[in-house]
Amino acid sequence: SADLLKKAREYSRDSELEPAILFYATWTEHWLNGLILAALTRRQFDFEESQKVIRETSNQGKQGWLLQLLGLPPLRKEDILAMREVSEMRNRYVHYKWKSAKETFREMDEMRRAIARFEDTIEALETYEEINIRADTAAEDAAVVEFVESLEH
């Protein structure tokens, strides 16, 4: 995931916006799937079942009802919109249809603005993960260590 984000930022810095969008959108999907996998693992779903949930749930479902079902707080609406925006731009790029020069110029400008907004979203998503997944894992790890130490005394 970190490599995807690094690559997206490199492309963005070099004004190669289409591949930047491609990597930002892919990072988003990996981030969301990783978050869900961690939450499912915590609820003792085995890996195979977790993969089915991830494969068979739409991105909209993953960004909404699935998080709620897993006991996680909802994502901010603006972050959901930003994730969807880069995914839609990626799809337009991947499923390319001929555009006039004027349309291409307008789309490039939209991509620049979307990438700038998406950097704020990345920070919010990483904070969400830190609070809701990593902090809980650290607390669980600390509780296990404390329990093991109590057995040793």
mmCIF file with all atom_site columns, all heavy atoms in Angstrom, residues 40 54 60 96:
data_model
loop_
_atom_site.group_PDB
_atom_site.id
_atom_site.type_symbol
_atom_site.label_atom_id
_atom_site.label_alt_id
_atom_site.label_comp_id
_atom_site.label_asym_id
_atom_site.label_entity_id
_atom_site.label_seq_id
_atom_site.pdbx_PDB_ins_code
_atom_site.Cartn_x
_atom_site.Cartn_y
_atom_site.Cartn_z
_atom_site.occupancy
_atom_site.B_iso_or_equiv
_atom_site.pdbx_formal_charge
_atom_site.auth_seq_id
_atom_site.auth_comp_id
_atom_site.auth_asym_id
_atom_site.auth_atom_id
_atom_site.pdbx_PDB_model_num
ATOM 1  N N   . LEU A 1 40 ? -12.278 -8.006  10.162  1.00 0.00 ? 40 LEU A N   1
ATOM 2  C CA  . LEU A 1 40 ? -12.810 -9.374  10.076  1.00 0.00 ? 40 LEU A CA  1
ATOM 3  C C   . LEU A 1 40 ? -11.935 -10.352 10.858  1.00 0.00 ? 40 LEU A C   1
ATOM 4  O O   . LEU A 1 40 ? -12.447 -11.236 11.551  1.00 0.00 ? 40 LEU A O   1
ATOM 5  C CB  . LEU A 1 40 ? -12.924 -9.814  8.615   1.00 0.00 ? 40 LEU A CB  1
ATOM 6  C CG  . LEU A 1 40 ? -14.025 -9.140  7.801   1.00 0.00 ? 40 LEU A CG  1
ATOM 7  C CD1 . LEU A 1 40 ? -13.829 -9.405  6.308   1.00 0.00 ? 40 LEU A CD1 1
ATOM 8  C CD2 . LEU A 1 40 ? -15.407 -9.612  8.256   1.00 0.00 ? 40 LEU A CD2 1
ATOM 9  N N   . ILE A 1 54 ? -14.629 -9.525  1.066   1.00 0.00 ? 54 ILE A N   1
ATOM 10 C CA  . ILE A 1 54 ? -13.976 -8.438  0.333   1.00 0.00 ? 54 ILE A CA  1
ATOM 11 C C   . ILE A 1 54 ? -14.299 -8.512  -1.161  1.00 0.00 ? 54 ILE A C   1
ATOM 12 O O   . ILE A 1 54 ? -14.631 -7.512  -1.785  1.00 0.00 ? 54 ILE A O   1
ATOM 13 C CB  . ILE A 1 54 ? -12.454 -8.458  0.599   1.00 0.00 ? 54 ILE A CB  1
ATOM 14 C CG1 . ILE A 1 54 ? -12.185 -8.004  2.033   1.00 0.00 ? 54 ILE A CG1 1
ATOM 15 C CG2 . ILE A 1 54 ? -11.707 -7.587  -0.408  1.00 0.00 ? 54 ILE A CG2 1
ATOM 16 C CD1 . ILE A 1 54 ? -10.776 -8.224  2.515   1.00 0.00 ? 54 ILE A CD1 1
ATOM 17 N N   . GLN A 1 60 ? -18.947 0.661   -2.632  1.00 0.00 ? 60 GLN A N   1
ATOM 18 C CA  . GLN A 1 60 ? -19.915 1.466   -1.877  1.00 0.00 ? 60 GLN A CA  1
ATOM 19 C C   . GLN A 1 60 ? -20.326 0.754   -0.602  1.00 0.00 ? 60 GLN A C   1
ATOM 20 O O   . GLN A 1 60 ? -20.444 1.372   0.446   1.00 0.00 ? 60 GLN A O   1
ATOM 21 C CB  . GLN A 1 60 ? -21.140 1.789   -2.726  1.00 0.00 ? 60 GLN A CB  1
ATOM 22 C CG  . GLN A 1 60 ? -20.875 2.863   -3.748  1.00 0.00 ? 60 GLN A CG  1
ATOM 23 C CD  . GLN A 1 60 ? -22.146 3.317   -4.453  1.00 0.00 ? 60 GLN A CD  1
ATOM 24 O OE1 . GLN A 1 60 ? -23.129 2.589   -4.545  1.00 0.00 ? 60 GLN A OE1 1
ATOM 25 N NE2 . GLN A 1 60 ? -22.115 4.526   -4.960  1.00 0.00 ? 60 GLN A NE2 1
ATOM 26 N N   . TYR A 1 96 ? -10.780 4.228   -21.636 1.00 0.00 ? 96 TYR A N   1
ATOM 27 C CA  . TYR A 1 96 ? -10.615 5.427   -22.441 1.00 0.00 ? 96 TYR A CA  1
ATOM 28 C C   . TYR A 1 96 ? -11.573 5.485   -23.630 1.00 0.00 ? 96 TYR A C   1
ATOM 29 O O   . TYR A 1 96 ? -11.754 4.519   -24.349 1.00 0.00 ? 96 TYR A O   1
ATOM 30 C CB  . TYR A 1 96 ? -9.172  5.500   -22.968 1.00 0.00 ? 96 TYR A CB  1
ATOM 31 C CG  . TYR A 1 96 ? -8.934  6.671   -23.876 1.00 0.00 ? 96 TYR A CG  1
ATOM 32 C CD1 . TYR A 1 96 ? -8.739  7.937   -23.360 1.00 0.00 ? 96 TYR A CD1 1
ATOM 33 C CD2 . TYR A 1 96 ? -8.931  6.509   -25.250 1.00 0.00 ? 96 TYR A CD2 1
ATOM 34 C CE1 . TYR A 1 96 ? -8.519  9.021   -24.186 1.00 0.00 ? 96 TYR A CE1 1
ATOM 35 C CE2 . TYR A 1 96 ? -8.716  7.585   -26.098 1.00 0.00 ? 96 TYR A CE2 1
ATOM 36 C CZ  . TYR A 1 96 ? -8.515  8.847   -25.551 1.00 0.00 ? 96 TYR A CZ  1
ATOM 37 O OH  . TYR A 1 96 ? -8.313  9.913   -26.375 1.00 0.00 ? 96 TYR A OH  1
#
